[in-house]
Amino acid sequence: MKVLVANLGSTSFKYRLFDMPAEVQLARGGIDRIGGEQSHCFVEIGEHREEHEQNVPDHAAAVNLCLSQLTNSEWGCLDSADEVAGIGFKAVFAGNLSGVRLVDEALLTKMEALADIAPAHNPPYARAMRQLRQAFPDIPLVAALETAFHETIPPENRTYAIPFQWDEEYEVKRWGFHGASHRYIGSRMAELTGKDDLKVISCHLGGSSSLCAMQGGVSKANSLGMSPQTGLPHNNRVGDFDPFALPVLQKATGKSLAELLEDLSSKGGLLGMSGLSGDCRDLEEAAANGHERAQLALGVFHSAIRHYLGGYMTVLGGVDAIVFTGGIGENSVSLREKVCSNLEWAGIRLDAERNKTASEESQIQADDSNVQIWVVPTNEEIVVARQTVETIEGRA
């Protein structure tokens, strides 16, 4: 079964094609600046790679281009687009319509109604899914909601201290996100260690970041709450923030609530604190050269990670393994060092040299550490591919 996994942005379309259940990646590609005068397109199939620019007006046209690449007579990997059995999407939020499900009108309507919760994700996904349903009515579309993995979180770790009616009727709770990434880390750690009952704290650190407490590959807590704006500071999103500061800011700035929320979701986080960049690589370079606000932003970020790390040790009653993943988690030597420093009291000891030379799937704890520390690249796409196959086969 050939499954296409799509990762959508408002003006981007990235894809991977898998041969399932062998889980062989056949192709990857992407299109940026969709809707602009010229879109940047690339594809990799085997040894073949090419890049070019052309007009791609919408996501349906992007999928058409993708299928034409995959079926190219010279270097494509498919004889026909009919070989694509389904398209899986790493969708974000649909409230109580969580889980993994076929894309239908009820799901799309719900995603559109909850666009305020995930403004950077829900609108482009819903719009693209509508376009694709119309353009490719015979290809099943499957949405793997980010919240699905966290449905196992117990009520005491999901419930806000709010009027109970808000939870029951308005679906206001700690939903948790980055489900595909944390699910992959949970299953991969069982494979790497040969143990299926590990207490694992997964640190997905990238453009957006979250920690997840897992036991036996099952989610017990996630640092993201009602929206992907919460928890740790993100590249340009605020993270945890006291809502009672908003009336103060409204009076002081004259801005509306909508304007302040836009500032918190696009001008906050590492970018807002540093005034320089939301990219940790830029901040680490600037901090090393004495940039005080870059140092502050990184310090706040490290402290927030440690805050949740410590809390999740109590949720799990200890920890067997800490895993760093995501663009920052996999590549920042200094972040891993800062997060794991002075934790000997908890049996956590990092090996400085192993940390510096870590690559791919690596253990970086010291020999006398009671807790394993890993760097493991995540693979959200293969999780979505697996879920897409299960959903299509369950429909048959």
Side-chain angles (χ1 to χ4, degrees), residues 303-323:
S303 180
I305 296 167
R306 287 166 61 86
H307 167 82
Y308 278 103
L309 183 66
Y312 287 171
M313 290 184 210
T314 66
V315 167
L316 296 172
V319 60
D320 297 312
I322 297 168
V323 182

Side-chain angles (χ1 to χ4, degrees), residues 105 108-109 112 125-135:
E105 183 59 33
L108 293 171
T109 300
E112 290 163 345
Y125 266 92
R127 183 167 57 250
M129 287 173 177
R130 287 194 182 280
Q131 293 172 353
L132 297 179
R133 286 181 79 207
Q134 184 174 3

